[in-house]
Amino acid sequence: MILKEIGKIKSPYKVKGEAPRQGKLSKETMILEMFPEFRDAMYGLEEGQNIVVIYWGDRADRAALRTVPPGKDREYGVFATRSPNRPNPLALNVAKIMSIDEEKLEVVGLDALDNSPLLDIKIYIPAMDSLENEKNEQES
Amino acid sequence: MILKEIGKIKSPYKVKGEAPRQGKLSKETMILEMFPEFRDAMYGLEEGQNIVVIYWGDRADRAALRTVPPGKDREYGVFATRSPNRPNPLALNVAKIMSIDEEKLEVVGLDALDNSPLLDIKIYIPAMDSLENEKNEQES
């Protein structure tokens, strides 16, 4: 299974440690530069919409199976966390479109490091993506 | 960028057309069979938790750039939709863990076809994954 890079993320976060722990904590505007052959797939996206952005965490540790999450005092398997380090570093953020043209999107809400490969964009649909679960309210 | 298959999804949906349009519409229990080398990464997951499941839509059309979504009367770029057909068919569902042992998870809430390659599991965190946006309330 080989991923296609559909674009590049231009971010003010240059190295690990500069990015916040969650995209939602970021107020920075980032640019999603779409490669020419994929631009037509942006047709219909609009300013103000929320989107799910999936990018490749190319600086992640793909060998990590356990981690101690921030604020926790014991190890968890990486699948029980939001750690960027995992076998497939598919990073997932919900972001808001601030502006759009045919080559790029300006968005807020990402935790990406600069030049991360962009993989996918989906429209965010609350009825599909959002649900209640008290057990998961605490971060891990 | 090469993906590792971390497991297989066992689903009652055998062919396209049997799966619902959204995982949330499914009441079916599916089995996430984890391959031995990745099982340790499940450590800490619990029954009743909600998880984000990313799988590979191996029967998707990766050349599709536009589509007419269900209930719409015009084309949209695939990035403005939730169509399974897109350059990187990274399918995203929020699912609930019904039971768990060291080899597998039983979950509800997936739209996967049988034998879809499993790619990633993340704990679902409402504060990260959920937000309000009236513009996105309608499906597309």
Side-chain angles (χ1 to χ4, degrees):
Chain A
M1 295 174 288
I2 298 177
L3 290 162
K4 299 178 187 181
E5 185 171 6
I6 63 168
K8 279 276 187 218
I9 301 180
K10 294 298 170 182
S11 165
Y13 307 130
K14 304 300 181 192
V15 295
K16 283 185 197 183
E18 290 183 3
R21 224 151 34 77
Q22 302 177 10
K24 260 200 149 169
L25 301 175
S26 173
K27 304 289 179 214
E28 301 286 349
T29 299
M30 297 195 194
I31 312 292
L32 309 186
E33 290 182 352
M34 199 70 60
F35 293 154
E37 63 268 43
F38 300 108
R39 287 175 189 162
D40 193 49
M42 297 164 63
Y43 179 71
L45 284 175
E46 294 173 16
E47 265 181 40
Q49 283 183 321
N50 290 315
I51 52 175
V52 177
V53 176
I54 304 179
Y55 68 88
W56 188 245
D58 57 345
R59 278 145 280 188
D61 174 7
R62 299 186 68 178
L65 294 177
R66 292 204 188 189
T67 188
V68 179
K72 301 283 181 173
D73 57 4
R74 72 166 179 91
E75 281 191 330
Y76 286 75
V78 293
F79 298 152
T81 76
R82 295 299 283 240
S83 172
N85 302 313
R86 51 185 60 243
N88 293 305
L90 297 164
L92 183 69
N93 282 172
V94 180
K96 188 184 188 86
I97 301 176
M98 307 309 288
S99 73
I100 184 166
D101 67 26
E102 58 194 21
E103 298 177 9
K104 62 183 184 302
L105 296 167
E106 290 192 339
V107 304
V108 169
L110 290 189
D111 55 12
L113 294 175
D114 195 34
N115 288 317
S116 295
L118 183 62
L119 297 177
D120 196 20
I121 294 171
K122 303 179 198 289
I123 198 79
Y124 176 81
I125 299 177
M128 276 179 77
D129 297 309
S130 170
L131 53 102
E132 298 304 314
N133 182 12
E134 286 165 23
K135 271 192 102 158
N136 289 40
E137 283 293 342
Q138 67 183 125
E139 292 176 22
S140 62
Chain B
M1 296 174 289
I2 298 179
L3 291 162
K4 299 177 187 180
E5 186 172 3
I6 64 169
K8 279 276 186 220
I9 301 179
K10 295 297 171 184
S11 165
Y13 307 130
K14 304 300 181 193
V15 295
K16 283 185 198 183
E18 289 183 2
R21 230 155 21 84
Q22 304 177 8
K24 261 198 149 172
L25 301 176
S26 173
K27 303 290 178 215
E28 301 286 349
T29 299
M30 298 195 193
I31 312 292
L32 309 186
E33 290 182 352
M34 198 71 59
F35 293 153
E37 63 269 41
F38 300 108
R39 288 177 188 161
D40 194 49
M42 296 164 62
Y43 179 72
L45 285 175
E46 294 173 16
E47 264 183 41
Q49 284 183 321
N50 290 313
I51 51 175
V52 177
V53 176
I54 305 178
Y55 68 89
W56 188 247
D58 58 344
R59 277 144 280 187
D61 174 8
R62 300 186 68 178
L65 293 177
R66 292 205 188 188
T67 187
V68 178
K72 302 282 183 175
D73 57 4
R74 71 165 179 91
E75 280 192 328
Y76 287 76
V78 292
F79 298 152
T81 76
R82 294 299 284 238
S83 172
N85 302 312
R86 50 186 61 243
N88 293 306
L90 297 165
L92 184 69
N93 283 171
V94 180
K96 188 185 189 87
I97 300 177
M98 307 309 287
S99 74
I100 184 167
D101 67 28
E102 57 194 20
E103 299 176 10
K104 63 183 185 300
L105 295 167
E106 290 192 340
V107 303
V108 169
L110 291 188
D111 55 12
L113 294 176
D114 195 33
N115 288 317
S116 294
L118 183 62
L119 297 177
D120 196 19
I121 295 171
K122 301 178 198 291
I123 197 79
Y124 176 82
I125 299 177
M128 279 178 76
D129 297 310
S130 170
L131 52 101
E132 297 304 313
N133 183 11
E134 287 166 22
K135 271 191 101 160
N136 289 41
E137 282 294 342
Q138 66 183 125
E139 290 175 25
S140 63

